[in-house]
Amino acid sequence: MTVVYVVVGLLVLQRLAELAYAARNQAIALARGGKEHGRNHYWMFVVLHSLWLAGMLTESRSTDGVLPPWFWFCIVMALLLQGG
């Protein structure tokens, strides 16, 4: 189960870094005359990502910390896709 906590912790750090990067880019774009669209549905992405992370923790607790056989495959694929 510790592995799941590490993965979720790393994902949280990555999402926070992504938010900081996006805020910086937003400030630059707005300073150059850009306009923001879609602000009304941004909260849905926050809820979606929060529930996804909470779901990972809940699932790991409900299985007594026993990782499914495909866990490491999914981790490797997620890391590869993050690079994309």
Side-chain angles (χ1 to χ4, degrees), residues 33-84:
K35 298 197 186 298
E36 183 176 6
H37 298 278
R39 186 169 190 75
N40 293 336
H41 66 267
Y42 181 75
W43 66 271
M44 290 185 231
F45 289 103
V46 173
V47 170
L48 174 70
H49 283 250
S50 299
L51 289 175
W52 173 58
L53 294 169
M56 286 175 38
L57 293 174
T58 302
E59 181 181 12
S60 73
R61 308 255 312 145
S62 68
T63 59
D64 295 326
V66 177
L67 299 174
W70 39 266
F71 177 82
W72 290 109
F73 172 77
C74 291
I75 292 297
V76 169
M77 293 306 293
L79 289 172
L80 289 174
L81 291 170
Q82 283 294 322

